[in-house]
């Protein structure tokens, strides 16, 4: 009798998980002797700096700090931040039309690294602009795009507020003008391809994890979740208003994502974070909140079991071990409108956007003397495990529990195969805690795909790698075919 054995496919080889190069020195990697919650360093912009600062972020081992007022005329500075209490400028540049930016949307086009920021020419002409930051020693302003309906000095209603880069598309949240989708396949000639508006929605931010988009307000309570597996045909999955524990609707100022949690900075009424579980995007669930008592939330970010939030007149650190029992565990003080407290390793970078002490618009506060040696953890991924009927045009996304070094996301650390073992080519996009893989071409119909995030690959901004492997399958058809091999 002839016995036929099914053979597992021979999977295309992939680079080693750690086979990437970070060109800068990376985030903080040293133990500190400076006191906790006291400033140990100051970050300044160039001679044109109006001391109107916001968030910072790490890309390719450099800390990037934008410095621009709402009325335009600002720049960006790259720092060696290996020793956060002794930062060293690596390069900076200024543009007369750069405007205050609330996110750092970064993409790589034709080998050049580009940063999308907000742009302002005059009261009725503004939109977005692009820095080329490939060489941190010499950033250059590359191009810009005006958005229709732009109007300033309305600071929220008709101006660009944030950007999110995914594939050939840049999503620009623009207040009452809604969310613009911009084709950035040629960053020298960006083009608007869509404008999406919702009733009573001041669009502050759009964040995408794979096939799911979270649209959040600037200063209001409405929040939207869409299926964007087909980005040209978004489908509303849920709309909700952020609420207190008693069910009373309460607004937030800005929002972010960390793992399966949507994080909202509680506006007015004492500040503090509000948290929703969005792991089932069609049925978001309020998970918990905290009230600072004397705060007024600005921006909130997650770092492991901690949340960091600017509270207008101080910055607070919250224990997030139990989302149902969030408690304040630390506080830092700084003069000015203190909206932003960004965790970078074992320090937090605090920024004010007005009324700060001269030369002190951004300061560095240690929150732990011990260097951060804990790698990031994937808390949520989309597509979901064993998900069927996935759109062929979908991205595949990961949401981590802390900010990620973008360069560490590449074909060796984020692997996608068809069930017959063929590697799916694509590009990688990282913003804060979110990493997305965008296939170069639509996926095949009725095909099962395998995803692996190997241990020791994707790192946080301090170079700590993921500790555990993650594997799952999904299908563009109605069934999952084949088994994921134990070893590849």
């Amino acid at each position: 009798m002839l016995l036929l054995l099914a053979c597992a496919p021979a999977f295309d080889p992939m680079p080693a998980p750690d086979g990437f190069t970070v060109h800068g020195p990376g985030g903080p990697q040293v133990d500190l002797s400076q006191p906790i919650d006291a400033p140990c360093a100051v970050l300044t912009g160039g001679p044109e700096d109006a001391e109107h600062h916001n968030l910072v972020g790490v890309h390719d081992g450099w800390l990037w700090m934008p410095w621009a007022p709402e009325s335009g005329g600002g720049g960006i500075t790259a720092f060696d931040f290996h020793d956060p209490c002794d930062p060293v400028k690596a390069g900076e540049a200024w543009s007369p039309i750069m405007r205050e930016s609330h996110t750092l949307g970064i993409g790589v086009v034709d080998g050049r690294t580009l940063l999308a920021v907000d742009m302002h020419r005059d009261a009725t002409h503004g939109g977005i602009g692009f820095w080329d930051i490939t060489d941190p020693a010499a950033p250059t302003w590359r191009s810009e795009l005006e958005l229709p309906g732009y109007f300033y000095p309305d600071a929220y209603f008709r101006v660009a507020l944030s950007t999110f880069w995914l594939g050939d598309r840049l999503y620009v949240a623009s207040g009452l003008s809604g969310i613009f989708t911009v084709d950035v396949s040629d960053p020298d000639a960006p083009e608007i391809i869509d404008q999406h508006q919702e009733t009573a929605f001041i669009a502050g931010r759009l964040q995408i994890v794979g096939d799911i988009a979270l649209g959040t307000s600037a200063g209001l309570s409405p929040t939207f979740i869409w299926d964007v597996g087909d980005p040209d045909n978004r489908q509303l999955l849920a709309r909700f208003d952020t609420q207190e524990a008693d069910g009373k609707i309460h607004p937030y100022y800005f929002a972010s994502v960390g793992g399966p949690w949507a994080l909202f900075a509680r506006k007015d009424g004492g500040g503090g974070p509000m948290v929703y579980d969005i792991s089932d995007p069609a049925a978001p669930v309020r998970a918990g909140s905290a009230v600072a008592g004397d705060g007024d939330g600005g921006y909130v970010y997650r770092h492991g079991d901690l949340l960091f939030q600017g509270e207008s007149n101080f910055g607070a650190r919250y224990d997030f071990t139990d989302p149902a029992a969030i408690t304040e565990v630390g506080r830092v003080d700084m003069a000015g409108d203190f909206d932003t407290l960004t965790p970078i390793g074992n320090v937090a970078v605090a920024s004010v956007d007005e009324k700060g002490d001269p030369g002190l618009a951004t300061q560095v506060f240690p929150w732990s003397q011990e260097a951060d040696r804990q790698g990031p953890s994937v808390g949520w991924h989309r597509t979901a495990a064993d998900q069927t009927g996935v759109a062929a045009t979908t991205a595949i996304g990961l949401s981590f529990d802390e900010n990620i070094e973008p360069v560490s996301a590449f074909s060796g650390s984020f692997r996608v195969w068809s069930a017959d073992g063929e590697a799916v080519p694509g590009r990688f996009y990282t913003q804060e805690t979110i990493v997305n893989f965008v296939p170069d071409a639509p996926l095949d119909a009725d095909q099962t795909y395998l995803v692996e995030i190997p241990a020791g690959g994707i790192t946080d901004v301090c170079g700590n790698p993921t500790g555990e492997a993650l594997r799952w399958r999904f299908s563009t058809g109605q069934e999952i075919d084949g088994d994921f091999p134990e070893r590849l």
Side-chain angles (χ1 to χ4, degrees):
M1 180 177 67
L2 180 63
L3 180 64
L4 298 179
L5 298 177
C7 296
F11 282 80
D12 287 347
M14 292 291 196
D18 61 353
F20 57 88
T21 300
V22 177
H23 295 92
Q29 300 159 25
V30 297
D31 293 335
L32 302 173
S33 60
Q34 290 82 354
I36 300 301
D37 293 338
C40 71
V42 175
L43 302 180
T44 61
E48 308 90 349
D49 188 0
E51 298 191 347
H52 190 114
H53 294 187
N54 202 274
L55 82 166
V56 298
V58 173
H59 183 91
D60 200 14
W62 304 101
L63 182 80
W64 291 94
M65 183 183 79
W67 38 277
E70 293 176 351
S71 57
I76 54 171
T77 301
F79 290 92
D80 176 340
F81 206 61
H82 171 83
D83 181 346
C85 294
D86 186 23
V88 178
K89 282 189 178 182
E92 66 188 7
W94 178 81
S95 166
I97 59 174
M98 179 179 169
R99 182 183 182 276
E100 179 190 22
S101 297
H102 305 91
T103 54
L104 299 175
I106 293 177
V108 178
V109 182
D110 296 331
R112 308 298 297 182
T113 303
L114 303 176
L115 168 64
V117 296
D118 301 344
M119 182 270 289
H120 172 83
R121 289 190 184 277
D122 58 42
T124 57
H125 298 84
I128 55 172
F130 298 88
W131 287 102
D132 186 325
I133 62 170
T134 308
D135 179 1
T140 58
W141 186 266
R142 180 158 173 175
S143 63
E144 62 272 349
L145 173 68
E146 292 189 6
L147 298 176
Y150 182 91
F151 184 74
Y152 180 84
D154 286 343
Y156 298 96
F157 292 164
R158 302 291 179 184
V159 298
L161 292 173
S162 68
T163 60
F164 191 92
W165 201 312
L166 188 64
D168 290 336
R169 297 170 182 237
L170 184 74
Y171 297 91
V172 185
S174 302
L176 288 176
S177 293
I179 299 166
F180 290 97
T181 304
V182 179
D183 183 341
V184 288
S185 56
D186 179 359
D188 292 321
E191 296 183 354
I192 297 170
I193 57 178
D194 182 58
Q195 180 182 6
H196 181 84
Q197 296 171 285
E198 296 281 355
T199 302
F201 180 46
I202 300 177
R205 193 167 195 193
L206 184 80
Q207 298 168 92
I208 298 176
V209 181
D211 61 348
I212 297 300
L214 176 71
T216 51
S217 297
L220 298 179
S221 60
T223 306
F224 297 82
I225 300 179
W226 295 283
D227 181 332
V228 291
D230 178 355
D232 293 320
N233 186 28
R234 62 170 61 87
Q235 302 293 316
L236 182 64
L237 297 177
R239 182 209 180 279
F240 64 95
D241 290 281
T242 47
Q243 298 179 357
E244 304 282 19
D246 61 4
K248 182 180 179 181
I249 292 173
H250 196 99
Y252 56 92
Y253 186 74
F254 232 64
S256 67
V257 172
W261 311 109
L263 312 171
F264 303 90
R266 190 173 182 270
K267 180 177 169 60
D268 302 324
M274 302 186 292
V275 179
Y276 276 72
D277 181 347
I278 58 171
S279 56
D280 180 353
V285 177
R286 186 186 182 280
S289 63
V291 179
D294 52 349
D296 181 2
Y299 302 85
V300 56
Y301 304 103
R302 183 182 178 190
H303 181 91
D305 289 334
L306 295 171
L307 301 181
F308 292 76
Q309 184 164 312
E311 297 284 9
S312 293
N313 58 343
F314 62 92
R317 186 168 67 255
Y318 297 90
D319 185 333
F320 187 59
T321 305
D322 179 0
I326 303 168
T327 56
E328 183 181 332
V329 293
R331 182 176 290 201
V332 298
D333 293 311
M334 193 166 72
D337 186 10
F338 190 164
D339 282 344
T340 311
L341 189 65
T342 310
I344 306 289
N346 59 338
V347 301
V349 180
S351 299
V352 300
D353 60 9
E354 62 178 353
K355 301 179 181 179
D357 290 335
L360 299 177
T362 292
Q363 299 183 63
V364 180
F365 289 82
W367 62 267
S368 172
Q369 291 180 323
E370 183 179 350
D372 178 10
R373 298 181 176 89
Q374 178 68 45
S377 175
V378 179
W380 184 44
H381 59 80
R382 295 291 304 192
T383 59
D386 294 330
Q387 183 178 343
T388 58
V390 173
T393 48
T394 193
I396 302 164
L398 312 170
S399 181
F400 286 86
D401 64 349
E402 62 175 309
N403 289 344
I404 298 300
E405 165 54 64
V407 172
S408 70
F410 81 118
S411 59
S413 63
F414 193 149
R415 305 170 174 180
V416 183
W417 292 276
S418 62
D420 58 7
E422 291 187 3
V424 178
R427 294 167 287 170
F428 300 87
Y429 297 85
T430 299
Q431 187 162 317
E432 297 169 10
T433 62
I434 298 172
V435 179
N436 279 299
F437 170 79
V438 179
D440 287 341
L443 302 174
D444 292 336
D446 297 319
Q447 173 72 271
T448 294
Y449 288 88
L450 316 175
V451 184
E452 181 188 34
I453 311 302
I458 293 175
T459 76
D460 63 19
V461 297
C462 296
N464 301 305
T466 49
E468 296 183 0
L470 171 66
R471 301 179 177 92
W472 80 91
R473 305 173 299 174
F474 69 90
S475 176
T476 54
Q478 298 307 311
E479 295 182 355
I480 298 291
D481 296 323
D483 294 318
F484 204 107
E486 286 289 328
R487 301 185 64 177
L488 297 172

